[in-house]
Amino acid sequence: MNNLHEMEMRIVPSGCDKNAELKMSAVMDLFMDQAMLHAEELKVGISEFWPRNLFWVATKSKYRINRKIKLSETVKITTWPEEPGNFKCIRYYEMTGEGGVLVQGKTEWVVVNTEGFKPIKAKDVFPQIDFYDKKVMEEGFERIRDVDFEEEIGKYTVRSVDIDYGKHMNNVAYIRAIEGLFTSEEWEKAGYSEIEIQYRESAYEGDTLTFYRKYENDKLVIKGMSDKGDIIVFAILGK
């Protein structure tokens, strides 16, 4: 089995903004697509897991865009998993193209049982392979404090188009919802090039999320809460 998955592609209009540049959420879409394809190759994808009532859940993601990526550019996406621990598994991503490394990222995953969503040991279901030992974005994930979120900046009702095959809000749909809290001009002026997103609870179709923000160390921190008062997601945006 190949522990390194690579695919070359051209950037198409569906992932681009009004400036014909790849959106932050679209970067994550591309990474998640390649992760799924690689999981299938490694026999730990949906076709193998679903009959066993198993499911991959992303708990944290972060990535950094080194330069804006234009419509019709040809890029190569590479992804590989780190050797899993007891429960957690880190997967890394790189997008390369003209000028070198365009984006780097990583996601923390856990395997859960779909009957109750209880975590199971990832190392028990992962194949025995020679793991690629390269790491990117080696700094740890941030510790986010749930204090000082005083400013409400918008609401979002989870729609049918946000739901994935886990029957909850897809992890990239949260990023699209956060992008939509800003006008095109506000987003462009802010110039965000990195994001870390941490998923605390699941949201489902019909739920209404309320988003709050605060600024900390030149970064924008966003909290999304359900109408029941549960923290669903945190996001940190930086330049």
Side-chain angles (χ1 to χ4, degrees):
M1 293 182 183
N2 189 354
N3 189 40
L4 196 66
H5 176 85
E6 297 178 314
M7 181 172 287
E8 193 172 89
M9 63 184 64
R10 292 183 72 183
I11 301 303
V12 296
S14 60
C16 292
D17 61 17
K18 68 183 183 68
N19 296 317
E21 295 170 344
L22 196 63
K23 292 180 286 189
M24 184 173 276
S25 56
V27 171
M28 192 67 158
D29 267 327
L30 292 175
F31 285 167
M32 295 299 99
D33 288 347
Q34 297 310 311
M36 185 278 290
L37 292 175
H38 194 204
E40 288 293 312
E41 293 174 5
L42 295 174
K43 307 299 184 185
V44 290
I46 184 80
S47 60
E48 296 283 340
F49 270 17
W50 209 246
R52 298 162 59 189
N53 295 320
L54 301 178
F55 183 63
W56 284 105
V57 173
T59 56
K60 300 173 184 176
S61 288
K62 67 189 305 180
Y63 62 93
R64 181 181 302 115
I65 301 172
N66 296 324
R67 78 155 171 85
K68 293 179 178 178
I69 302 144
K70 292 285 189 179
L71 174 66
S72 198
E73 273 196 63
T74 297
V75 299
K76 181 172 72 174
I77 296 176
T78 306
T79 182
W80 63 98
E82 185 177 81
E83 185 173 4
N86 277 337
F87 290 97
K88 297 177 181 179
C89 182
I90 302 293
R91 176 174 281 275
Y92 298 103
Y93 312 89
E94 279 192 333
M95 181 186 295
T96 55
E98 185 177 350
V101 178
L102 309 179
V103 189
Q104 289 184 316
K106 66 178 181 179
T107 300
E108 178 187 279
W109 299 85
V110 296
V111 182
V112 300
N113 190 303
T114 57
E115 298 174 355
F117 274 74
K118 292 184 178 180
I120 67 169
K121 290 186 176 181
K123 67 178 184 179
D124 289 345
V125 298
F126 220 86
Q128 297 297 314
I129 57 177
D130 293 325
F131 288 91
Y132 187 50
D133 60 4
K134 180 178 178 179
K135 298 181 181 181
V136 300
M137 301 190 77
E138 293 191 57
E139 68 274 15
F141 292 99
E142 297 281 351
R143 293 179 62 88
I144 303 175
R145 298 176 303 134
D146 181 27
V147 294
D148 302 327
F149 286 93
E150 298 178 353
E151 184 182 4
E152 180 181 328
I153 55 172
K155 295 180 182 290
Y156 184 83
T157 298
V158 182
R159 302 167 297 166
S160 59
V161 294
D162 300 316
I163 304 302
D164 62 18
Y165 52 85
K167 299 180 176 59
H168 57 196
M169 190 172 180
N170 180 268
N171 56 338
V172 184
Y174 291 98
I175 303 178
R176 286 192 287 269
I178 289 169
E179 288 174 327
L181 297 172
F182 303 84
T183 66
S184 298
E185 289 72 20
E186 288 171 338
W187 187 261
E188 185 175 5
K189 184 177 179 180
Y192 296 120
S193 60
E194 23 180 288
I195 186 170
E196 176 173 329
I197 188 159
Q198 299 183 10
Y199 309 97
R200 298 299 176 88
E201 299 288 345
S202 294
Y204 299 90
E205 185 176 353
D207 288 349
T208 296
L209 306 182
T210 302
F211 291 94
Y212 302 85
R213 72 179 169 190
K214 66 176 179 178
Y215 291 92
E216 215 173 62
N217 301 323
D218 298 323
K219 294 186 177 182
L220 173 61
V221 188
I222 293 176
K223 175 175 70 171
M225 297 189 67
S226 73
D227 43 13
K228 298 176 183 177
D230 297 322
I231 298 173
I232 302 299
V233 66
F234 283 116
I236 305 173
L237 292 160
K239 301 179 181 180

